[in-house]
Amino acid sequence: MSEPLIRTARPDDEAELARLDRDSWSPLHAVTPRPRPPYEPFFGEHARPGDHLVAEYHGRVVGYVRLGFPTPLASNAHVRQIRGLAVAEEARGQGVGRALVRAAVADARERGFRRITLRVLGHNTPARALYESEGFVVEGVQPEEFCLEGTYVDDVLMGQSLL
């Protein structure tokens, strides 16, 4: 597979992104229950199309990264946060996640942010390895922050400077 096209999401991506989000749900990375109908809209007040970068192959969306801010505080507005990442099952292992992470970091840097951060579940070894290989470092751990399917899971805080 060649490099995917990375672009900003558009309003007409809603249905495809919502389907990808539902199809990629896993207890490996999700802290919310499996989605069930009626489904919530993918885009909303805190997750607009412009807050997403999508990966596309041959006109089909195969992944996305959701960007936002760690808090709504002005004193924290210099920090960009990766708030979600999903890759279609058939596109995994093809560099789509890596391309999205790189695009998110580049976008944050171009927009003048000083830092980029994320949160990842402690047991999500593949995601942690990807983030570490792209320059993110563990900056904190909240032990047993979530109870998922009867198992307590750490919340790992990762980040990197963009300067």
Side-chain angles (χ1 to χ4, degrees):
M1 216 178 245
S2 60
E3 285 287 312
L5 168 70
I6 306 293
R7 63 171 175 79
T8 302
R10 301 181 297 252
D12 63 343
D13 291 321
E14 167 97 27
E16 207 166 355
L17 287 170
R19 185 172 31 261
L20 171 61
D21 198 52
R22 289 190 303 269
D23 290 350
S24 64
W25 185 95
S26 166
L28 186 63
H29 62 79
V31 296
T32 57
R34 180 180 297 280
R36 304 244 185 262
Y39 300 116
E40 295 288 321
F42 184 80
F43 295 130
E45 180 182 342
H46 299 291
R48 300 172 310 264
D51 298 327
H52 297 81
L53 298 175
V54 299
E56 189 178 278
Y57 275 123
H58 307 294
R60 184 168 168 271
V61 172
V62 295
Y64 76 83
V65 61
R66 176 175 283 169
L67 302 167
F69 298 93
T71 73
L73 302 171
S75 59
N76 191 224
H78 62 284
V79 180
R80 194 67 158 149
Q81 187 173 57
I82 293 176
R83 300 182 64 81
L85 176 72
V87 175
E89 182 70 36
E90 68 275 9
R92 291 185 187 156
Q94 305 297 318
V96 174
R98 183 172 307 281
L100 286 164
V101 170
R102 286 181 178 171
V105 170
D107 181 72
R109 188 173 278 122
E110 288 167 13
R111 291 175 185 240
F113 290 95
R114 295 178 59 87
R115 293 181 31 75
I116 187 166
T117 63
L118 59 87
R119 296 169 66 173
V120 61
L121 294 175
H123 66 207
N124 192 344
T125 306
R128 291 180 63 181
L130 169 63
Y131 297 137
E132 287 172 1
S133 74
E134 290 300 319
F136 286 84
V137 297
V138 174
E139 296 180 336
V141 176
Q142 295 176 304
E144 299 184 352
E145 187 71 5
F146 297 101
C147 184
L148 305 174
E149 299 182 337
T151 301
Y152 290 95
V153 181
D154 296 349
D155 190 17
V156 179
L157 313 175
M158 300 181 80
Q160 68 172 276
S161 172
L162 298 174
L163 300 177

